[in-house]
Amino acid sequence: MLKLEVIVEVHQLKKQGFKVAAIARKCNLSRTTVYEYLERDFEEACRWVDNLKIRQRKLDPFQDQILEWLKEHPDLSASQISDWLEDCCSYTEAGDSTVRTYVRELREKYHIPKTVTFRNYEAVEELPKAKQMQVDLGEIKIKTFEGKWIKIYVVAFVLSHSRYKYAEWQDRPFNTRDVLRCHENAFEYYGGRTDEIVYDQDKLMTVSENGGDIIYTEEFQAYKQQSGFLIYLCKAADPESKGKIENVVKFVKNNFAKNRVFDQIDTWNEQCLAWLERKGNYQVHNTIKKRPFEVFALEKPHLRKISSLLSFESNHVTSITRTVHKDNIIKYKSNRYSVPLGTYKPHGENTVYVRIEEEELIIEKTPGGVPTATHPLSRGKGQLIKNTHHSRDRSKGIRAYMDTIKNAFNDQEKIQLFLEEIYRRYPRYIRDQLQIIQKAVKSFEPHVQSALNVCIEKALWSANDFHDVAKHLARTQEEFNSLPADIPTIEMTSIHYKDKASVRELDGYLKILGGM
């Protein structure tokens, strides 16, 4: 009777003036089905429903098997039954929705309700100020400006008392050092830390629960000992014990990240912090019925002060790392810091180590080694902090560059003439031209003067021509040197040139022709 009741309801809603789309929403039907039901009158609908009761259904041959499974395992889902049908009976003809409908009707007909396991919860009292912080990680797929889908990763923090939130994103999966760095950033954002921090059993921080004697990863254990905070580790498969941060991760992913277009990770983090200020930490929290930023103002004085930022980096072997980008900069806290030109290697190791010392950011190739670069630490966002000597050496100017190249040549007048001419012909590309000449000097040094002579003689006023001529001369010299030294020689005397070929008499040819 259920289908007949639905058909009757569809007709009644239509008579009341509802449109097809509204009827579809109210009855949880597709618009195609609504149109189909509206075409049937009551008597036709009754006959159609009766036919449905006696017709053969796809899953009828497996009814006994499905009933047996349901009676033995009342908590079986329709999805599992679909999988078991494929695995045990090699049956794949029915779709998921068909299986769900069939299983639901069997449960109703044979009174086999689905067993639902339920865990009893009780509300917990609000924790005092600065008592606890909760931490968790998440990930989400988002679309870039190019229309591509990428996955980005977030670590979120929340103060249990005030619900004041902090989040930091990466465009790659987090490792332990990333998580520890984000801890330091969160402590700086909050202006201190809580007595206790709640974590899930994440492999970045824990190795084993070990019956309560928790084994932490080496890096996290070192950081924990230095920082001095207590750790509350959730038991396995118990996400409810850190429900506050679970909700925060969902909130950040669904309210901030979802449907937002990604540009670059630094901009994304800046947008997230701005969103936290105007939305995440500003709007009234549903549980405490207060604005988190207002409650945080009262909680902040009770937080434990931290000794120094990145202290875990300087006292342990593990130190913060950054990747040198192809424009010879590193990124740190939404700012860009320069390193000397040439530090980036296209196919080499581009990892450097960063430490903070007396408001200076020090960049090193190895921890504790000779600094690659030192910059004043910027507290702003989106800035480029660059040392002038990290760029190409422009202080000497083009003339000084030309004087440096001239030292490799013997004939100073000719090289001066050649350089002046290419300067006249290629004013916009003079530095590139000089670099090509310098490269030729380094590669074919013994032949550069000869190449210069050829270029002037043939009026080849280009650094590329100079390079090609020097390369040709060097290759010709190599080929000549590769010839064997003991090649035999044939001596010819002048007497050979005096010999003449013998001349046959004409009679001899006539005899031969006559014989033909």
Side-chain angles (χ1 to χ4, degrees), residues 174-399:
F174 282 89
N175 58 35
T176 303
R177 281 180 282 184
D178 294 328
V179 173
L180 299 185
R181 185 189 72 252
C182 292
H183 274 67
E184 293 288 320
N185 295 341
F187 294 162
E188 182 184 13
Y189 182 79
Y190 289 131
R193 65 165 178 82
T194 56
D195 296 332
E196 178 184 76
I197 302 182
V198 177
Y199 297 98
D200 199 355
Q201 290 197 37
D202 194 282
K203 63 182 180 180
L204 300 179
M205 290 160 280
T206 60
V207 177
S208 172
E209 193 173 7
N210 198 29
D213 295 326
I214 301 165
I215 303 174
Y216 299 101
T217 60
E218 181 181 358
E219 293 171 318
F220 189 74
Q221 177 68 23
Y223 182 63
K224 170 182 172 292
Q225 289 177 348
Q226 183 193 352
S227 300
F229 53 77
L230 301 176
I231 290 179
Y232 181 92
L233 193 69
C234 299
K235 290 186 177 181
D238 185 25
E240 290 83 359
S241 56
K242 56 179 179 64
K244 296 182 181 69
I245 190 61
E246 291 280 347
N247 291 332
V248 169
V249 172
K250 292 178 184 176
F251 185 47
V252 172
K253 287 164 57 176
N254 295 330
N255 288 59
F256 166 71
K258 188 177 180 180
N259 298 323
R260 189 181 292 266
V261 181
F262 180 84
D263 181 18
Q264 58 175 337
I265 196 65
D266 290 337
T267 305
W268 186 268
N269 275 311
E270 292 171 9
Q271 293 172 346
C272 185
L273 289 177
W275 172 83
L276 285 172
E277 290 182 8
R278 70 174 182 271
K279 186 76 172 178
N281 290 323
Y282 181 79
Q283 69 180 17
V284 176
H285 193 276
N286 189 51
T287 302
I288 62 175
K289 305 301 182 184
K290 299 176 182 177
R291 301 184 190 275
F293 86 95
E294 294 175 346
V295 185
F296 173 69
L298 301 175
E299 183 179 19
K300 184 174 181 179
H302 298 272
L303 295 174
R304 291 183 178 272
K305 301 299 179 183
I306 51 177
S307 55
S308 61
L309 290 177
L310 301 175
S311 57
F312 74 98
E313 305 289 359
S314 57
N315 294 337
H316 298 92
V317 176
T318 59
S319 58
I320 189 170
T321 60
R322 284 293 184 271
T323 299
V324 179
H325 294 256
K326 62 183 180 181
D327 51 353
N328 288 283
I329 58 98
I330 67 160
K331 295 180 179 179
Y332 178 74
K333 286 192 176 181
S334 301
N335 290 312
R336 295 172 296 155
Y337 294 85
S338 68
V339 293
L341 196 68
T343 302
Y344 172 79
K345 305 297 182 185
H347 304 291
E349 176 59 45
N350 291 302
T351 300
V352 294
Y353 297 83
V354 175
R355 59 186 174 90
I356 308 300
E357 188 174 299
E358 297 180 355
E359 294 300 311
E360 282 190 331
L361 183 138
I362 302 172
I363 306 171
E364 302 165 338
K365 287 296 290 182
T366 57
V370 178
T372 302
T374 302
H375 297 279
L377 185 63
S378 173
R379 297 297 183 184
K381 301 289 183 182
Q383 298 180 356
L384 172 63
I385 298 88
K386 185 174 183 179
N387 288 349
T388 55
H389 63 274
H390 288 170
S391 303
R392 291 184 297 184
D393 187 5
R394 295 181 173 88
S395 59
K396 293 183 179 180
I398 297 300
R399 293 296 175 183

